[in-house]
Structure formats: C-alpha cells, structure tokens
Amino acid sequence: MAKPVLLVTRKLPDGVEARLAALFDARLNPNDEPWFRSGAEIARRATEAGAAGVLCAAGDPMNAETIAALPASVKIVTTFSVGVDHIALDACKARGIAVTHTPEVLSFATAECAFTLMLMAARRAGEGERMVRAGKWEGWAPTQLMGVTLQDKKLGVLGFGRIGRQLADMARGMQMEIHYHDVQRLPPELEKGATFHPTEDAFLGAIDVLSMHVPGGEGTRKWLNAARLAKMKKGALVVNTGRGPSVDDEALVAALASGHIRAAGLDVYDGEPKVHPGYFGLENVALLPHLGSATIETRDAMGARCIENLEALLIKGQNPPHRAA
C-alpha cells in the first residue's frame, strides 16, 4: 500500500524528519526555504502532491484562504506548536479537516526561557554582555550595572496554565512570592500557595514582575497597554514568552524609556520576525529570537507528538490523540 503523502512546511530536527520519511511519503523542506510564508504556495504544493496531511508550524499562514485552497485529499493539519492561532479552525471544521498540536511537552523549556528573561532583565545581563563584547568594560566598579535581585519579589503570572505553573515552581526556588491572574481560580493542589487575584487592577498593583502566558487572539491583543502599565509599580519588570500581539509595543517602549518599567525581557513579537524598532534604542530590554521551546529534547518531543497524531489518523484510521479541533 502506498504511503500517505505528507507536506511538511518547515525544516524539522533530523530524527523527526527520518521518522516522517519512514512512515509517510514526506515532502520535506530540508533547507527551510521561505515558501512556507505563502498560504497560496502551501496550498499549491499540497495540491500538486495530493497530500493527505500538512505538517505546519507556528507562524505559517494557515488562514481561511489557505484552508479553502487545500485539496480535498487533505484530512489533517498538524502544527509543530501548542498554539493554533495561526490556523483557521472554523474553516478546517467546515471541511472536516482535523487539527492537532503538541501539548504537554514544551512547558518546562518555555518556563526556563521566561526565567532566563527575568534574570536578564533584573540583572541587566544583556547590557553587560554588550559592554564586554564592545570592549567597553574597564573592570569591576562598586556601582556598575546595578540591577535588582529576584529574591523576595512578587512574581505575577498572567495565565496560570502549565507554563505559568512551571515558572512559579522555578521562582519559588529564588524565594519569590507567587501571584496570578486567570479567568478562574485553580484548585489548591495546583496553586501551591500562590495568591489568586480575581481582578486585573489588584493583580497589577501587587506585583514586582509580570510574566505573560496568555493565548493569542483578539481577546488578548494589546492586553498590556498604557493603562495597564500605569497600574503597575514603578520599577516593575515585564517578561513575555506567550504571544507577541498581547503587548502594545508603543506603550511598553514608552514605559521603558520613562523608567516606569525598570526593564523587560521579550521572546515573542507582534508581526515577528519584525521587531518594533523602539526596542533597539533601549538598553533596559532583553530581546530573544523566539527561543521558548528551543531545546533539543523539547523539539524532538514536539516532533513525536506530531507523528503520533499523523500516524493515528492517516495510517491507523483512529482519532488523533492531541486534537485542537
């Protein structure tokens, strides 16, 4: 029996690609050529190949137009990510296309990234590294690049899901006090003593560090705006490893420039890979290139999740285990 044809939009870890090639007639993108940025090109390649499935990734334009242009042969779209806000779920549902993702395997790595950014922002690590590389460091000085310690600070986790709770566990090791805001309060065994704030105002006014872990979509777009930043303590820190569009960049740049926000650490951006140019002129912001899940172990595990889903539906004729829609 012929193997199901699978269109893979991005270069994936070698071991993942080898497994895909063994199970499927996999049409890979070994050089990560940028055709994946065009929904029309994704649909064209899927049609030309007679693809039964599409393995895409975060940022691929799997919008309603792309889904509508996919051939009737496509039965599943699986994404190499937890988030599915780049996929038109309603359009997939209308066509009977299953959508799957990769939950429960990248929480620790993304929390590590958030914790890294917290430390970079608090201890001015990016600024110091740039100083050394530029040959401008003249030796230790008592008042050089003084930051703030995280010890005894109040960490505010916006979105107390798997990633937020992993970050809270790490922060407890730094003797931080954990606060969170979410749509509802979690049971005590998940809170682990964290303080729940049912209102945004109480939450923002209480914390010293804000770490954002909210999903994408219009409901969270520019959530961190000028009004909410103004409610935070002077000298607070902001970290975002969730979704770039949830931050109003103009407002955050202004708050950083004025000193109301001491420093920020960002791993995701609105319209990435574009980055708001206002950040480049500021020393008090650490900028990472979307490294949240970028560990060997995590990316291999994400690939395994994709394969589980594809194998279940396309080879075994079963419901995929990690459906998003």
Side-chain angles (χ1 to χ4, degrees):
M1 184 180 295
K3 296 177 181 177
V5 177
L6 177 69
L7 179 68
V8 183
T9 66
R10 304 300 305 272
K11 166 64 182 170
L12 300 177
D14 290 344
V16 175
E17 290 191 339
R19 182 65 175 150
L20 289 170
L23 289 169
F24 305 98
D25 179 357
R27 310 301 172 88
L28 304 174
N29 186 0
N31 299 315
D32 219 27
E33 294 176 3
W35 57 260
F36 62 84
R37 296 194 177 115
S38 166
E41 183 64 12
I42 291 172
R44 186 191 72 77
R45 287 173 181 258
T47 301
E48 188 176 86
V54 177
L55 198 171
C56 66
D60 289 0
M62 302 300 290
N63 51 38
E65 291 76 15
T66 303
I67 300 303
L70 291 176
S73 56
V74 172
K75 300 296 186 291
I76 182 172
V77 170
T78 189
T79 180
F80 195 81
S81 63
V82 171
V84 293
D85 41 293
H86 57 295
I87 302 175
L89 300 181
D90 289 343
C92 288
K93 182 178 180 180
R95 292 198 52 185
I97 298 174
V99 178
T100 67
H101 61 152
T102 63
E104 302 171 1
V105 294
L106 50 72
S107 300
F108 195 90
T110 306
E112 279 184 323
C113 186
F115 198 76
T116 298
L117 284 168
M118 284 170 53
L119 284 168
M120 290 181 73
R123 297 300 304 272
R124 302 174 68 175
E127 189 175 353
E129 205 259 358
R130 289 189 291 273
M131 175 188 289
V132 173
R133 283 186 179 274
K136 296 180 179 179
W137 185 47
E138 297 179 352
W140 184 89
T143 59
Q144 179 177 265
L145 292 179
M146 292 192 300
V148 293
T149 183
L150 295 179
Q151 184 182 30
D152 297 327
K153 297 296 190 296
K154 295 178 175 64
L155 169 62
V157 182
L158 180 68
F160 211 48
R162 294 186 184 94
I163 298 170
R165 296 197 301 273
Q166 288 278 12
L167 177 63
D169 285 344
M170 296 175 188
R172 290 183 181 98
M174 292 290 286
Q175 302 173 36
M176 298 185 78
E177 186 178 304
I178 311 303
H179 296 246
Y180 76 98
H181 175 66
D182 212 322
V183 292
Q184 61 184 12
R185 184 170 187 171
L186 274 66
E189 62 270 22
L190 294 180
E191 281 189 333
K192 297 182 181 179
T195 300
F196 171 64
H197 294 272
T199 67
E200 294 176 357
D201 287 3
F203 171 70
L204 292 170
I207 60 176
D208 302 300
V209 182
L210 171 66
S211 187
M212 302 179 65
H213 305 276
V214 294
E218 286 305 311
T220 59
R221 183 163 183 79
K222 295 192 177 182
W223 185 91
L224 190 63
N225 55 23
R228 291 188 175 102
L229 284 163
K231 293 171 183 175
M232 297 180 67
K233 296 178 183 178
K234 180 176 174 56
L237 308 176
V238 170
V239 169
N240 187 21
T241 56
R243 295 291 186 273
S246 63
V247 171
D248 182 335
D249 290 317
E250 292 284 350
L252 181 56
V253 166
L256 287 164
S258 72
H260 179 70
I261 296 299
R262 180 185 298 277
L266 306 175
D267 187 48
V268 290
Y269 308 92
D270 190 3
E272 61 183 60
K274 294 180 180 178
V275 178
H276 191 286
Y279 293 125
F280 298 139
L282 298 171
E283 286 288 358
N284 57 340
V285 58
L287 306 171
L288 296 181
H290 205 147
L291 295 181
S293 63
T295 69
I296 294 168
E297 299 88 347
T298 299
R299 295 288 167 84
D300 284 346
M302 291 168 67
R305 279 281 193 265
C306 290
I307 292 167
E308 287 176 49
N309 291 317
L310 291 163
E311 187 177 16
L313 184 64
L314 298 182
I315 296 177
K316 299 178 180 178
Q318 300 172 353
N319 189 41
H322 307 293
R323 289 191 72 141

